[in-house]
């Protein structure tokens, strides 16, 4: 079982710099709430890193272009979190749910609740 975190941004140094500038200059229309909540200007938020490190499940982080390349048949609004079990992949947190999170705790709490449910099934 694995969690797949997918950012609504493309990979690459130029894209990372452009996204950082966009996030600072125009945060209200920045397209990746997952990035907005979990990253500061240059690095992952400490509380988020701690949460991720403590998860007892495999996890991976992909950018939009990487996800599309690896999972071409999965169509979903991004950012999103998916759960992969064997050959199947399913939504774990949708773009809409992530978009409703105003801060890191609002993202972490529902993830913890869902992980508790998943780990017991």
């Amino acid at each position: 079982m694995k969690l797949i975190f997918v950012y609504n941004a493309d990979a690459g140094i130029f894209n990372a710099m452009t996204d950082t500038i966009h996030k600072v200059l125009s945060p209200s229309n920045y397209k990746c709430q997952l990035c907005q909540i979990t990253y500061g200007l240059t690095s992952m938020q400490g509380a988020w890193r701690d949460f991720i490190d403590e998860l007892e499940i495999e996890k991976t982080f992909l950018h939009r272009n990487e996800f599309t390349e690896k999972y071409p048949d999965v169509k979903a609004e991004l950012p999103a979190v998916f759960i992969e079990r064997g050959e199947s992949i399913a939504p774990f947190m949708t773009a809409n749910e992530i978009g409703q999170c105003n801060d890191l705790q609002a993202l972490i709490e529902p993830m913890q609740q869902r992980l508790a449910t998943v780990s017991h099934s």
Side-chain angles (χ1 to χ4, degrees):
M1 195 164 44
K2 172 170 60 172
L3 285 180
I4 304 165
F5 295 84
V6 185
Y7 300 109
N8 190 21
D10 288 330
I13 191 73
F14 176 77
N15 291 320
M17 290 186 321
T18 303
D19 284 344
T20 298
I21 292 168
H22 187 178
K23 192 167 34 169
V24 169
L25 296 179
S26 188
S28 63
N29 68 1
Y30 185 65
K31 301 282 189 226
C32 187
Q33 185 70 355
L34 185 58
C35 299
Q36 186 80 7
I37 293 173
T38 62
Y39 272 80
L41 283 179
T42 59
S43 62
M44 191 180 278
Q45 299 278 359
W48 178 247
R49 181 177 307 282
D50 292 345
F51 170 70
I52 293 299
D53 288 346
E54 291 172 7
L55 291 177
E56 293 182 5
I57 184 172
E58 185 180 346
K59 56 253 170 211
T60 189
F61 296 84
L62 299 173
H63 292 87
R64 175 178 50 217
N65 56 327
E66 297 163 329
F67 180 75
T68 302
E69 184 177 313
K70 187 167 182 164
Y71 302 95
D73 296 332
V74 179
K75 307 296 182 217
E77 187 179 346
L78 300 177
V81 182
F82 297 90
I83 190 160
E84 185 177 63
R85 295 178 182 178
E87 297 295 316
S88 71
I89 183 171
F92 187 77
M93 276 192 89
T94 66
N96 186 46
E97 292 169 322
I98 294 170
Q100 293 176 16
C101 299
N102 294 320
D103 59 32
L104 202 48
Q105 199 57 37
L107 178 64
I108 290 173
E109 285 177 5
M111 290 194 72
Q112 289 173 320
Q113 293 168 354
R114 290 174 193 189
L115 283 168
T117 302
V118 167
S119 65
H120 292 101
S121 59

